[in-house]
Amino acid sequence: MRYFILLIAFVFLNSCASPTQSITSPDGKVRVRIDLNKGGLHYAIDFQGKPVVLPSALGFKFAEQPDLLGPFTLQKAERRTKDETWQPVWDFDSKIRNHFNELRLILQEKLEPRRHFNVTFRVYNDGVGFRYEFPKQDAMDTVNIISEETQFHLPGGMAWWIPGSYESYEFLYRHTPLAKIDSANTPVTIELKTGPVISIHEAALYDYAGMTLTHAARDTALFKSKLVPWPDGIKVKTKAPFKTPWRVVMIGARAGDLMESHLIQNLNEPNKIKDTSWIHPVKYVGIWWGMHIGKWTWYYGPKHGATTERTRRYIDFASKHHLDGVLVEGWNKGWETWLKGENVQDYLTPYPDFDLNFLAKYARDKGVYLIGHHETGGNVPAYEAQMDAAFALYERLGIPAVKTGYAGRMHPKGMHHHGQWMVHHYQKVVEVAARHHIMIDAHEPIKDTGISRTWPNFLAREGARGMEYNAWSDGNPPEHTLILPFTRFLSGPMDYTPGIFNLKFDPTGKHRVYTTLAKQLAYYVTLYSPFQMAADLIQNYEHQPAFKFIEDVPVNWDETRVLKAKIGDYLTVARRNGKNWYVGSTTDELARHWKIALDFLKPGQSYKAIIFTDAINTDWVNNPTAIEIGMYKATADDSLCVMLSPSGGQAVEFIAVPENKVKTLQAISRFNQAQKAKIKPFATVKVYGQK
Ligand code: NOJ
Ligand code: CA
């Protein structure tokens, strides 16, 4: 009898796998369970035994086909493990480990039309990715997705989120209980009440609509995917075979773990560009802030910003200060039409006061280059018609990077910035640019989903409320840049455009930048981007000792460690470039101080530490530009005191130097005696306010 039961079980297992499956991360801490018993297909995730995602349904609704919600048969469960280390062309770490356990579920509907599909789960130490794949099959040809029924049933917690707009990510973050989110754009970051910190996002978004999250049931923590529609309401128009982007749950024991994670890139394909010698990180100035503060105009006229003379001065400045490039906005004809209905620009013809050929060569002769600009204003067909020629022009002139923009209402009408049609367009731009050896920085983009692993010429994007909002809106409050690293930046680098020195630029007092100067410097470490601007007017950098930090700070890193972090409150990040380390600390509206052990420095190595920090009398409201700059000797045995004014910061360079050289270092600290007693950057001295 027992033999008979065993035999039956054997036959059953052979024809279909067990309807419950489970898989863990390589370190065993993250576990995914899949369950087909409840009719449909459900998954659940836990981390160190604590629930992260409660049982949540998977499925689809289609326009011309029956819903795909179950019941399903699990025909086969395939497992594999991968452990590789890859080297990005640029990043905040120079070696990235891609280590996961994979479970691929081969599924079929139990009932007619008995469609086939697969769901693949990849479980990493820092989170989970899963995607649907539809093979070619008779029962499915043309596919119009009405709704992707992917659920995220969360155990409750506090979320950092922006609204689920189809056009823009340029909002201030909200911090509410999960149940108060009605719709959100990803990444949405959540401090779960069970302990872990998670972020929900997507990876490898190609030929599909962007995913927002919406409530599946009001006032609960049950969310589902809501895709951005076409004008006719269909979300995705495709054909089998096809696969969806990865749905991703990043998981960390602490907030800093999310910042250190490469999960989103790991879920993308390896680099497709064979020769990457023309791709490199960029530090730049530009004809830009002047337009935002109303001093200059993009369009031709008496206040025109992009004149030959001004651009020449910017090139001279970039060359003198060892920067890579000069962004020029407003050089081409057509800006009169921007934000005035239909944007019609000519991306090939300069305004009469801008000598493009001369300036491109002048820059090259000075060892720098121009950075091009294409503002589509949302008129994508007009841009696509000129795109190839416009990139070819830049390539011919030795202009290796282009900032693109989509500020304005989408044309054709009814299309959305984050829909499938635009996802396809943004991808076309990066591929055409790659053919012309051009790097891209997209403003008003589709969110990053890690595709720069595959297309490393896509250096950076905006896709959040950047510095420009301080120029003309009610501004970015002090905590904004303490939220971005744990939300927007989890998707990839952001062109935030830091480095405003003239923080109270507006004589009327209506607008300003809500930080201290030292915090602006710290951004070069805390806000990672391989396309990093020194955003102020160059005249505000002249004769400013603090500009040395911007000159020195690298835009590419070998290693990154988040040393201290609380979302929305404070942050210290250390990044290594070669032998040198750079440390940036920032705080929200509260003055704070803490100590950082320098044990990440190489033992036995001496460093010259150059510290740029809020002074004792720095006050972001009335005295934001007061900054202390000091030079000290440091080793791994020291600790660093971080003393920050409200909305303040500290930026430190640790330059590896031979021991004998350090001994002769003169302290060039301009701390006065009173400050010296209170602030000593190294903790060998008792720190003011510390118990
Ligand atoms: C919005 C972009 O974010 C900004 O950087 C740019 O200057 C304007 N659009 C004009 O293109
Ligand atoms: Ca913008």
Side-chain angles (χ1 to χ4, degrees), residues 42 53 230 428 531 590:
H42 290 81
V53 179
W230 285 75
K428 196 169 357 174
F531 193 74
L590 297 182

Side-chain angles (χ1 to χ4, degrees), residues 170 443-444 462 468:
E170 299 184 8
H443 278 231
E444 299 80 38
E462 185 190 40
E468 61 184 12

Side-chain angles (χ1 to χ4, degrees), residues 212-289:
T212 69
L213 295 184
T214 184
H215 259 126
R218 273 203 90 68
D219 288 329
T220 68
L222 175 59
F223 295 93
K224 68 172 220 180
S225 141
K226 186 177 181 198
L227 302 175
V228 177
W230 285 75
D232 61 5
I234 303 287
K235 308 302 185 321
V236 175
K237 304 183 180 192
T238 187
K239 251 173 132 52
F242 74 95
K243 53 192 174 197
T244 68
W246 295 94
R247 276 57 190 102
V248 186
V249 182
M250 300 173 74
I251 307 172
R254 32 158 234 152
D257 295 342
L258 300 183
M259 279 183 69
E260 290 173 358
S261 168
H262 290 285
L263 177 57
I264 301 293
Q265 291 156 297
N266 275 333
L267 287 163
N268 276 269
E269 297 291 315
N271 175 18
K272 282 200 164 100
I273 299 176
K274 280 202 188 81
D275 171 17
T276 56
S277 57
W278 50 277
I279 303 174
H280 52 263
V282 179
K283 195 164 26 167
Y284 68 105
V285 283
I287 312 265
W288 179 77
W289 183 243

Side-chain angles (χ1 to χ4, degrees), residues 407-469:
R409 178 106 43 90
M410 226 50 260
H411 182 85
K413 213 168 154 227
M415 291 293 182
H416 298 295
H417 279 78
H418 308 155
Q420 184 185 9
W421 188 76
M422 278 303 286
V423 167
H424 187 74
H425 165 75
Y426 291 113
Q427 187 57 27
K428 196 169 357 174
V429 173
V430 80
E431 292 186 27
V432 173
R435 282 208 296 277
H436 291 287
H437 306 102
I438 283 175
M439 301 176 280
I440 292 291
D441 165 43
H443 278 231
E444 299 80 38
I446 185 65
K447 60 188 163 181
D448 199 351
T449 55
I451 69 153
S452 56
R453 179 179 180 189
T454 317
W455 298 97
N457 66 319
F458 208 156
L459 281 194
R461 314 178 190 217
E462 185 190 40
R465 204 166 140 126
M467 182 68 79
E468 61 184 12
Y469 276 77

Side-chain angles (χ1 to χ4, degrees), residues 57-72:
L58 299 173
F60 282 91
K61 292 184 175 169
F62 300 110
E64 292 93 7
Q65 298 222 356
D67 297 347
L68 187 78
L69 299 169
F72 304 117

Side-chain angles (χ1 to χ4, degrees), residues 331-333 345-350 356 386 389-391 393 396:
W331 69 267
N332 62 299
K333 285 189 169 172
Q345 295 206 18
D346 174 346
Y347 304 103
L348 302 170
T349 314
L356 178 63
Q386 299 178 59
F391 282 130
L393 170 70
R396 190 153 32 82

